[in-house]
Amino acid sequence: GDSVTQMEGPVTLSEEAFLTINCTYTATGYPSLFWYVQYPGEGLQLLLKATKADDKGSNKGFEATYRKETTSFHLEKGSVQVSDSAVYFCALVPPPGSARQLTFGSGTQLTVLP
Amino acid sequence: GAVVSQHPSRVICKSGTSVKIECRSLDFQATTMFWYRQFPKKSLMLMATSNEGSKATYEQGVEKDKFLINHASLTLSTLTVTSAHPEDSSFYICSARDELAGGNNEQFFGPGTRLTVL
């Protein structure tokens, strides 16, 4: 079945540091890929997404590129802020024609120190 | 963007009582909603898929008689935790799929409900 593997945390960085959170997936065909962010005590918010190979999703300074050849969708940000402290989830949805349920990775806790 | 609300945001109840959690899509219609459970510092576990006008589809290992789901309209799904026990304490999150948001059927998440059973 489909699965998502993401970098285990927790990750602790200083403000303005470069962030990478790795995410790889296993799925048939071309799934859609997502990064969600969860701030403390809240639900999930969509951060960015990509629906086909080589697409780059971006939002709030975060970026991720859909790499079919490496089945990856790594999340990056050039300069993190304290307000980026949250849990980040990589997820996929299979292509149309199959059960369209989100499959989540285990989540990566990010803490940014001032 | 599409908004999903949950009510209540936090509930504390005694063991043996039942608790109902509501999930509403505020500005779109959702024939499909999902209920997740999240344990501390863990990922989301899909409990069931709620389909408007029909029975919910439960994931393996989720007791359907324990977690009653009703999706009576295109904007409302409810999860009732029956005869709650302390082990049911968790963070429950719903999501709704916007069937009209392009071909991607994007899901939008509610803010979650923190259930504590004493």
Side-chain angles (χ1 to χ4, degrees), chain A residues 4-87:
Chain A
V4 176
T5 302
Q6 65 180 99
M7 185 170 121
E8 292 219 8
V11 174
T12 302
L13 297 173
S14 297
E15 203 164 27
E16 299 183 2
F18 184 85
L19 169 71
T20 299
I21 301 178
N22 290 338
C23 171
T24 57
Y25 67 90
T26 302
T28 54
Y30 289 82
S32 295
L33 302 175
F34 304 83
W35 277 101
Y36 285 89
V37 58
Q38 185 179 31
Y39 298 101
E42 298 184 10
L44 271 66
Q45 299 175 27
L46 178 64
L47 181 60
L48 54 83
K49 65 181 180 182
T51 58
K52 59 183 188 293
D54 299 326
D55 265 2
K56 177 185 283 189
S58 61
N59 185 26
K60 300 180 181 179
F62 291 89
E63 293 183 339
T65 301
Y66 190 144
R67 301 286 189 199
K68 180 65 176 175
E69 63 275 13
T70 54
T71 62
S72 65
F73 193 54
H74 304 321
L75 182 68
E76 296 182 336
K77 186 174 185 180
S79 177
V80 293
Q81 305 300 312
V82 172
S83 57
D84 294 327
S85 298
V87 181

Side-chain angles (χ1 to χ4, degrees), chain B residues 37-45 87 89-91 114:
Chain B
R37 183 173 179 177
Q38 186 179 31
F39 293 98
K41 299 184 179 180
K42 297 290 186 182
S43 188
L44 279 72
M45 180 191 78
E87 58 265 30
S89 299
S90 193
F91 194 53
R114 173 74 60 192

